[in-house]
Amino acid sequence: MATRLHIDGEWTEGGGGAIATHDPATAEVIEEVTSASRSDVDAAVAAARRALGNPEWAGMLPVQRAALLFKIADLIDQHHDELATLETRDQGQPIGISRQVSATGAAEHFRYYAGWVTKIQGTTNPISFPDTLHYTRREPIGVNALVTPWNFPLMILAWKLAPALATGNTVVIKPSEVTPLTSIRLVELVEQAGVPKGVVNLVTGDGSVGAMLSSHPDVDHISYTGSTATGKLITKASAESNLKRLTLELGGKAPSVIAADADIDTAVGGNLAGSTLNTGQVCAAYTRFYVDKRREQEFVDKMAAGLDGLRIGPGLDESTQLGPLVSEKHLGHVDRLVSVGREQGAEVVTGGHRADGAGYFYSPTLFTGVDDNMTIMHEEIFGPVLAVTSYSDDDELAALIARANDTEYGLAATVWTRDIKTAHRLSAGIKAGAVFVNMPPIPDMAAPWGGYKASGWGREMGPWAIDAYTETKSVWMHYGY
Ligand code: NAD
């Protein structure tokens, strides 16, 4: 039997058929996942609209709503191993990542935003009107569609759902059709925690279900994480329907600058983690390496040795360091871009082919002899594929910054140096939502997350997510009559 949709507190079969979800380590089908039809999507949006007016939800006191979010966090903790194992089976990520980043991270997001519920404040403002009090209220936006990708399905859903509920919104969740299982399980736990019916709805299915939400006239806000191409379609659909609010977390092509004074072993360790975490399927993954010419050979040799030493295998094997790519389709995308790199003259130092196994394994790949204009320096590969180029000592910092910025994206960047001047100048000059100095790209719920340029609109996490899920109402109170 296929999985179910969750609409208005009921688990129902979708009217749009079903899509199989696969274990990327074995290519075997795990489960059939029901697909929503247009009338299912309409019913989910209508349920979310009704729930906004339900006194059980709208009238829930901040302390009660905080308690509800703490309870969801506790339930995630109680099901920690089950959720981590399910994430690894559906997504492929090594079990240690599923435990520490996905399951623990999801609980932490709920706990963090549970703390915010009782601290969401308006302001009183010194307007220049006589006998008039002016204050602001933070109100929920309304019905929010949460559309998520396949690389960190559980954690990314948590980082959207927790602030959406903290601010009193209602939601319709649309997980990726490639990895829907932990999202379905999280909705069951949310229901178990006692969230009133209709507040959290779930519609599974492919991009066409997401498109029904982005063009829906009764959805007020879409919080979307995924590719830039789909982000543009969502923006167009929003403009052509009801101009719904958009929070867009899109693609990336993060540069990594390794200065002459960097501790190379630290840089190699951090860049290996930053480029191969979750098999490189990370929006902030380090992919374009600009190494000071004097350290280039040493860096390339040590990175290649590090990549060769990674243990490739199924995520459920505790010793695995590099799991499979998420799907056959995505493996084809990565392999095609590696071929393009070769055709354009870049040199493969290691990797460059599918790895052994029935699943979607790919050998970690390092290119040298790379030119700034090559496709592999511009297109998002979203796999364990690294391209190394160099800069010369007498290159001005400004020229290096211009090369790092030579991309449509602007999500993340990293700098490896012991010189505070280089660190600050590059951090200020690179156009990216996050610059990591001497560390891998790990987000934290207290720090803003989002991109410049084609990497998206708006910021999530921290107080920035409270802004993303609220409207600010201006109240003018004249008392001089
Ligand atoms: P994707 O764009 O293929 O799909 C993402 C979601 O959008 C899925 O749920 C999909 O079903 C849905 N969708 C597809 N077409 C749609 C449409 N026309 N309208 C509405 N929804 C639609 O992305 P993906 O391949 O699942 O994820 C990988 C991408 O996500 C990469 O580009 C990566 O950089 C990006 N990403 C960004 C961040 C970030 O924080 N910026 C984080 C993780 C992933």
Side-chain angles (χ1 to χ4, degrees), residues 147-151 156 159 174-177 205-207 210-211 214 224-228 230 233-234 249-252 283 380 382 411 449 455:
V147 181
T148 54
W150 48 252
N151 64 332
I156 292 178
W159 91 38
K174 210 305 274 174
S176 168
E177 62 278 24
D206 64 11
S214 53
Y224 167 78
T225 298
S227 63
T228 294
T230 302
L233 293 176
I234 289 175
E249 303 285 358
L250 309 177
C283 49
E380 191 183 37
F382 223 55
L411 188 66
W449 190 255
S455 287

Side-chain angles (χ1 to χ4, degrees), residues 317-336:
D317 182 337
E318 297 277 348
S319 67
T320 290
Q321 293 171 304
L322 198 76
L325 291 166
V326 77
S327 65
E328 182 87 56
K329 183 175 162 208
H330 189 55
L331 186 140
H333 162 82
V334 171
D335 198 41
R336 183 182 63 78

Side-chain angles (χ1 to χ4, degrees), residues 277-297:
L277 177 77
N278 203 20
T279 319
Q281 301 166 119
V282 173
C283 49
Y286 302 159
T287 56
R288 300 181 285 138
F289 296 85
Y290 300 87
V291 190
D292 184 291
K293 213 163 194 42
R294 291 165 293 179
R295 311 301 296 276
E296 188 185 10
Q297 196 56 51

Side-chain angles (χ1 to χ4, degrees), residues 164-346:
L165 295 180
T167 44
N169 288 278
T170 61
V171 306
V172 179
I173 296 164
K174 210 305 274 174
S176 168
E177 62 278 24
V178 184
T179 56
L181 298 183
T182 49
S183 301
I184 298 170
R185 188 68 188 113
L186 181 62
V187 171
E188 288 171 356
L189 296 177
V190 164
E191 185 187 32
Q192 192 182 330
V195 172
K197 72 176 186 133
V199 171
V200 174
N201 305 277
L202 169 80
V203 288
T204 42
D206 64 11
S208 64
V209 177
M212 290 173 204
L213 288 165
S214 53
S215 60
H216 203 291
D218 208 26
V219 170
D220 300 303
H221 172 220
I222 295 209
S223 178
Y224 167 78
T225 298
S227 63
T228 294
T230 302
K232 288 180 182 173
L233 293 176
I234 289 175
T235 305
K236 190 159 181 274
S238 161
E240 287 171 355
S241 52
N242 59 342
L243 212 60
K244 50 182 71 65
R245 309 271 173 286
L246 297 177
T247 305
L248 302 174
E249 303 285 358
L250 309 177
K253 190 77 187 169
S256 175
V257 175
I258 293 100
D261 71 329
D263 174 336
I264 287 292
D265 291 331
T266 306
V268 166
N271 279 295
L272 276 174
S275 56
T276 63
L277 177 77
N278 203 20
T279 319
Q281 301 166 119
V282 173
C283 49
Y286 302 159
T287 56
R288 300 181 285 138
F289 296 85
Y290 300 87
V291 190
D292 184 291
K293 213 163 194 42
R294 291 165 293 179
R295 311 301 296 276
E296 188 185 10
Q297 196 56 51
E298 182 187 0
F299 181 77
V300 167
D301 292 345
K302 288 184 170 173
M303 283 295 282
L307 292 171
D308 286 343
L310 291 175
R311 278 189 302 277
I312 304 176
L316 286 177
D317 182 337
E318 297 277 348
S319 67
T320 290
Q321 293 171 304
L322 198 76
L325 291 166
V326 77
S327 65
E328 182 87 56
K329 183 175 162 208
H330 189 55
L331 186 140
H333 162 82
V334 171
D335 198 41
R336 183 182 63 78
L337 282 168
V338 167
S339 300
V340 171
R342 274 201 186 94
E343 282 157 22
Q344 293 182 349

Side-chain angles (χ1 to χ4, degrees), residues 60-71 113-115 117-118:
M60 191 179 273
L61 299 176
V63 284
Q64 295 169 327
R65 199 167 335 125
L68 190 59
L69 267 73
F70 279 122
K71 195 164 172 192
Y113 284 103
V117 178
T118 49

